[in-house]
Amino acid sequence: MKLLRPILLNLITWSIVLLISFPLLWMIVTSLKPQTELFRIPPTWIPETVTFEHYWRLLSETPFLLYFRNSVVLATSTTIFVVALGTLGAYSLVRFTYRGRETLAMLVLFTYLLPSVVLIIPLYLMMVSFGISNTLVSLILAHTTFALPYALWLLRSFMEGIPEDLENAALVDGASRIGAFRDVIFPQLLPGIISTALFTFILSWNEYLYALVLVNSESVAPLTTGVMSMLISAFNIEWSLLMAASVMMSLPLIVVFAFLQSYLTSGFGAGGVKG
Amino acid sequence: MTAIATDPPRASNSPLERSYARLGVLLIAPTILVFSIVIVYPLLAAIYLSVFSIYTPTLEGDFVGADNYVKLLTGKAFWNSLGVTLVWTVGTLSLQIVAGVGLALLLHQNIWFRALARSLVLFPYFLSTVVAVLVWKWLFNDLYGALNHGLMQLGIIDMPLDWLGSMPNAMIGVILVGAWKYFPFVVIAVLARLQTIPENLYEAARIDGAGPIARFWDVTLPQLRSVLTVIILLRAIWDFKEFDLLYLLTGGGPVTSTQTLSLLVYQEAFGLNRMGQAAAYSVGMMLVMLVFMILYIRQTKEKRA
């Protein structure tokens, strides 16, 4: 009995875990199957032949790499812009006192919960009147609407975790506020900044609605709308090609998961739940 | 600085403090500027637009007063979508909570390769909705989908099911995919809290003769209560406004049976080209959401105080 319990527990847990990851395993399996094997009934659960032809076709015959490049530019610019603004803003919200500070903090939280569809119509009209609709700049600005409140909220939590004494000690030693920020706060905040940057990048990388509304030319489409258009435009849907695209699209995520996962989990606690 | 020299500072308002306050405002100024342009202005503009009738392709329109709101209140579309949104939110949220708490409890135990198991469970949450939808559409495929064949091989169904094209299957389908995609949020949050429950509480319960189930109800659940409140509020807000997943999976169909409020706003603005009406719908949607938002903001405020 004492020996049986852990084995049973492991068996149950791992069956559930595998069931949950099955869609992802199936995505990889499908992307490696040759076209002829794909439409077999019943499906082969383990591929009989493994092929990389779909990945090759994806890179050489479709605009996938263009979409990928657009997504990299979009997500990177959004991240840099938002994290830079957010770090200064969070520092101000946590360590300075002035009138309206608490109201401002609550406003940030409010915008963090705001639905995108409320903002999308005016934003669309604004981008058209600025003459920047259909550009990556318009998307970067639009992504700010959800990324900035998010980053501010997250960084605020991280900032609150840094003991105030450290900064005071530096100030007593004659450092200026900005000097103390650079030499004392910033190194302490760095893990929080990395975590926030990763989250912002993922949010921006995955965003779909703004890209759908604000961009309709292929040359600036990011991966989300680009890959979806491959689904719609194809005469008969090539599932293995789409699964290969899905795997490739998740690559940055896999890299983050493999090397930087602890940053994700810490950001999770700071942003969503500890509030 | 010269003004300060002639006006002796009081203790609570020293020149240093005043210059710090000025620096604080200076640091937040860029954020406020960007906020005003991309969030505050559009939010006010949405309310302003909702009293006009605007034709999307030409962006021309006339002032119609409260007409759009009268149509919202008397027409069927808004109420139908509100009902759909509530069914979707309650359905997917309950599944997320049950699966999330359950799995968090399992992953809290000492199992083999625990870190790997946790990573595998977390992954769907960070995945792009586009990828999740593509994968599930392929799983749901009525002819070659793995789901139908798996269920048939297990003997649960005899005939392939039409998953996304008919009701109530379409609603069940989106609720399932929503739960699969978002329950890891609950897992991480609950797992983090579980790790902080003091072990001696369990010891005491054990000495009192409480079994594992009694320990869950009497120790674990009360300890999880506050974090669960926050999770439920937050997820309720996010599920309520979800767009990508539903739009990409069913597009609101069949007909309008999975058309939530977010989809209704989008459809009205960019499908039917009635921007004013769409803005009115979006304002209505926000008013409904405001209840949850205020509850959540109050919850966070309490925690800080």
Side-chain angles (χ1 to χ4, degrees), chain B residues 103-129:
Chain B
L103 216 66
L105 288 171
L106 285 175
L107 289 175
H108 187 57
Q109 310 290 324
N110 235 334
I111 59 157
W112 304 321
F113 304 108
R114 189 160 71 169
L116 179 68
R118 285 186 182 173
S119 301
L120 285 174
V121 168
L122 296 194
F123 206 77
Y125 187 76
F126 296 94
L127 204 66
S128 167
T129 309

Side-chain angles (χ1 to χ4, degrees), chain A residues 10 14 20 23 30 45 85 92 96 113-114 122 125 145 160 177 206 208-209 239 253 261 268 272-273 275, chain B residues 20 24 30 38 42 59 111-112 119 126 128 135 138 149 153 180 185 188 227 234 241 243-244 266 293 300 304:
Chain A
N10 267 295
W14 269 101
I20 286 160
T30 307
W45 298 107
L85 279 183
S92 164
F96 291 86
L113 305 173
L114 215 59
L125 296 177
T145 59
E160 277 170 345
R177 281 305 279 259
N206 291 345
Y208 177 78
L209 174 60
W239 286 106
L253 205 56
Q261 208 196 339
F268 219 102
V273 200
Chain B
Y20 277 174
V38 299
L59 299 181
I111 59 157
W112 304 321
S119 301
F126 296 94
S128 167
V135 172
W138 171 229
H149 285 285
Q153 280 179 9
W180 177 80
F185 180 85
I188 310 184
V227 79
L234 207 52
K241 66 177 188 176
F243 176 85
D244 299 2
Y266 175 82
M293 290 180 165
T300 355
R304 291 187 169 278

Side-chain angles (χ1 to χ4, degrees), chain B residues 10-241:
Chain B
R10 271 158 288 156
S12 63
N13 203 3
S14 68
L16 189 65
E17 266 176 45
R18 243 182 289 167
S19 87
Y20 277 174
R22 223 174 297 140
L23 181 60
V25 173
L26 198 69
L27 287 172
I28 195 101
T31 304
I32 294 178
L33 183 71
V34 172
F35 254 76
S36 315
I37 297 172
V38 299
I39 301 175
V40 180
Y41 166 74
L43 197 58
L44 298 176
I47 298 168
Y48 175 75
L49 288 170
S50 68
V51 292
F52 286 83
S53 76
I54 298 159
Y55 182 59
T56 309
T58 56
L59 299 181
E60 277 165 14
D62 308 302
F63 179 75
V64 291
D67 274 14
N68 291 332
Y69 287 99
V70 171
K71 219 177 141 205
L72 179 155
L73 290 170
T74 55
K76 271 202 191 116
F78 184 81
W79 302 109
N80 173 49
S81 277
L82 182 63
V84 171
T85 313
L86 289 176
V87 172
W88 143 259
T89 306
V90 171
T92 195
L93 182 60
S94 334
L95 262 180
Q96 285 167 29
I97 298 293
V98 172
V101 173
L103 216 66
L105 288 171
L106 285 175
L107 289 175
H108 187 57
Q109 310 290 324
N110 235 334
I111 59 157
W112 304 321
F113 304 108
R114 189 160 71 169
L116 179 68
R118 285 186 182 173
S119 301
L120 285 174
V121 168
L122 296 194
F123 206 77
Y125 187 76
F126 296 94
L127 204 66
S128 167
T129 309
V130 168
V131 172
V133 165
L134 283 174
V135 172
W136 277 95
K137 274 200 164 194
W138 171 229
L139 283 168
F140 280 146
N141 189 295
D142 36 5
L143 276 180
Y144 308 104
L147 192 67
N148 277 333
H149 285 285
L151 289 176
M152 270 155 68
Q153 280 179 9
L154 291 173
I156 296 170
I157 53 170
D158 322 311
M159 287 285 289
L161 288 177
D162 178 11
W163 275 98
L164 298 172
S166 67
M167 280 299 275
N169 297 5
M171 184 52 98
I172 296 172
V174 290
I175 285 178
L176 260 177
V177 179
W180 177 80
K181 175 101 178 59
Y182 296 118
F183 90 98
F185 180 85
V186 184
V187 175
I188 310 184
V190 171
L191 210 52
R193 184 68 185 85
L194 280 177
Q195 281 156 5
T196 62
I197 299 179
E199 191 54 37
N200 57 3
L201 287 180
Y202 289 106
E203 287 298 323
R206 219 170 275 143
I207 290 164
D208 288 346
I213 293 165
R215 285 203 297 272
F216 172 75
W217 288 107
D218 297 338
V219 181
T220 314
L221 211 56
Q223 290 280 321
L224 288 181
R225 228 188 66 176
S226 72
V227 79
L228 278 178
T229 317
V230 177
I231 296 172
I232 289 173
L233 278 172
L234 207 52
R235 281 259 41 109
I237 293 167
W238 286 337
D239 290 334
F240 195 90
K241 66 177 188 176

Side-chain angles (χ1 to χ4, degrees), chain A residues 30 33-40 43 238-240, chain B residues 138 144:
Chain A
T30 307
K33 274 186 185 176
Q35 200 73 14
T36 46
E37 202 184 321
L38 201 62
F39 297 118
R40 206 162 309 156
E238 292 187 65
W239 286 106
S240 33
Chain B
W138 171 229
Y144 308 104

